[in-house]
Amino acid sequence: MELLSLDSSPLFVPKTITDFLAQLAATKDGSQRSSELDGYVKRLEDELRKIEVFKRELPLCMLLLKDAIELLKEEGMRWRRMEERPVVEVFIPLKGNSEEDGGVVSGKENIDKKNWMSSAQLWNTSINVFDYTKRDSVELKLGNEEDDRSVPENPIEVSNNRAVEGALLAFRGQNELSGFAKPCLKEVKEVSEVPNLCLMTPLMSEALAGSASANSKTSNGCKGSGSGSGVAGQVKLLNKPQPQQQQQPLRKPRRCWSPELHRRFVDALQQLGGTEVATPKQIRELMQVEGLTNDEVKSHLQKYRLHIRKLPPSAAAGQGNALLMSLDHSGDHSKANNVQSGSPQGPLLAGGFAKCRSTTGGESGNSREAEEDEKSDG
DNA sequence: ACGTTAATAT
DNA sequence: CATATTAACG
């Protein structure tokens, strides 16, 4: 009785579609029915909008919601058609018990109606959160086979997709790690065994920020650095909601050197005979990470060199002297010749340098594990 | 192409 | 401050 109407509007109790339809069927008043339906659809649409950002991670949710919305819409049409037997006037507003104006109905109700009438298309068209996807696809054409986007089961190839994939892992990966390589996805290993070099780009967070309704705290996967960024971001948003938009050229998402990626880098480095003799191009080719550019490697190498020159004492203590090696490289520029013969120091240093994971010195006393362990990275 | 440096962004 | 990217110079 009254209970029904009471519980439906003031405090919303989620119902299954079935229950809702049953309730709807029990509702005699046409206008009330339509408003209930309207409300329900609205909620669905709201939620759909909320998870739009995560549509890659929650494809099924998206599907279900869309499905439900469409179903309800059809149901609404059916009711309406049923109610207005005289089929002639198609545009009669459903609420028209009182019928303000026939033709030019102006008012929220009309708008509402239009709204739920066209809800389904709204989702497909009007949601433009993903301007980025365009960019993705543009950049993706480097190594793309089909589009992986539709296959969330196996989202993490190697690093084919510059942007999107890391989202799943974005939520756990923000710990400060000592030194150089702050891994984007620190605990990837635990999460999935797939060697995962995906770039956790700020795209995700940008998308989040862009979609207004986002919770804003998830932050990016690379380094949340929790405190500052979120606030700053919000402030920025408040100050200038719109101004920048597309600017000139959209910036390339910054490469995040995940532990895996860095490990490859180091491996390549050691195969090439050390930091000082390895050249960006060679490194990049050895790493076999598609999408990786010379410049990125170069930049990384630069930083790498700086760091190992800065704090060699600890690493050099054990064995020979990485310093010597790096210093006496004056004469011999034998580049891609041998790996082991000359100096294992480079690798050693390298190992120490990027002791991101594996809890430094846990099981593997060997700083350099398998050399030719170039795994199957397709 | 390679190594640096500086400017800039995150 | 640390990390990344980019442009520019040698």
Side-chain angles (χ1 to χ4, degrees), chain A residues 277 324-335 337:
Chain A
V277 293
L324 269 182
M325 182 211 117
S326 60
L327 287 180
D328 79 1
H329 75 292
S330 52
D332 67 318
H333 279 311
S334 55
K335 291 217 163 182
N337 49 7

Side-chain angles (χ1 to χ4, degrees), chain A residues 204-372:
Chain A
M204 206 51 197
S205 56
E206 279 182 43
L208 283 175
S211 76
S213 70
N215 44 9
S216 82
K217 202 42 185 182
T218 50
S219 82
N220 54 34
C222 243
K223 14 191 264 177
S225 164
S227 56
S229 63
V231 177
Q234 289 194 347
V235 168
K236 206 185 277 178
L237 270 182
L238 287 179
N239 281 348
K240 355 177 129 180
Q242 277 193 340
Q244 279 134 356
Q245 276 155 352
Q246 292 141 346
Q247 294 182 352
Q248 308 93 358
L250 9 83
R251 220 175 167 70
K252 191 175 85 178
R254 54 159 41 190
R255 168 79 59 183
C256 181
W257 287 81
S258 66
E260 256 307 300
L261 201 53
H262 182 71
R263 211 185 62 74
R264 288 193 163 218
F265 173 82
V266 170
D267 282 352
L269 217 52
Q270 85 185 28
Q271 282 180 52
L272 290 174
T275 53
E276 303 300 325
V277 293
T279 170
K281 194 178 175 186
Q282 295 171 309
I283 297 176
R284 196 211 57 204
E285 281 163 1
L286 260 170
M287 286 176 71
Q288 296 232 333
V289 175
E290 68 277 42
L292 191 61
T293 69
N294 267 352
D295 279 349
E296 288 166 335
V297 174
K298 197 169 110 179
S299 172
H300 197 62
L301 179 62
Q302 175 190 2
K303 185 161 52 85
Y304 188 86
R305 282 169 173 164
L306 285 179
H307 272 252
I308 66 175
R309 299 223 275 253
K310 198 167 116 188
L311 41 104
S314 59
Q319 290 245 338
N321 22 25
L323 273 180
L324 269 182
M325 182 211 117
S326 60
L327 287 180
D328 79 1
H329 75 292
S330 52
D332 67 318
H333 279 311
S334 55
K335 291 217 163 182
N337 49 7
N338 49 13
V339 184
Q340 306 97 327
S341 75
S343 49
Q345 292 93 359
L348 236 175
L349 251 185
F353 185 71
K355 52 172 183 273
C356 307
R357 34 98 254 251
S358 91
T359 69
T360 82
E363 51 283 342
S364 66
N366 206 351
S367 53
R368 31 130 67 254
E369 42 259 35
E371 347 211 327
E372 312 304 329

Side-chain angles (χ1 to χ4, degrees), chain A residues 4-5 7-9 13 15 17-28 32-33 36:
Chain A
L4 265 181
S5 56
D7 84 64
S8 70
S9 46
V13 183
K15 290 179 162 55
I17 301 277
T18 313
D19 288 349
F20 179 74
L21 285 181
Q23 169 191 330
L24 214 60
T27 305
K28 293 205 118 187
Q32 184 187 346
R33 194 163 50 222
E36 280 177 10

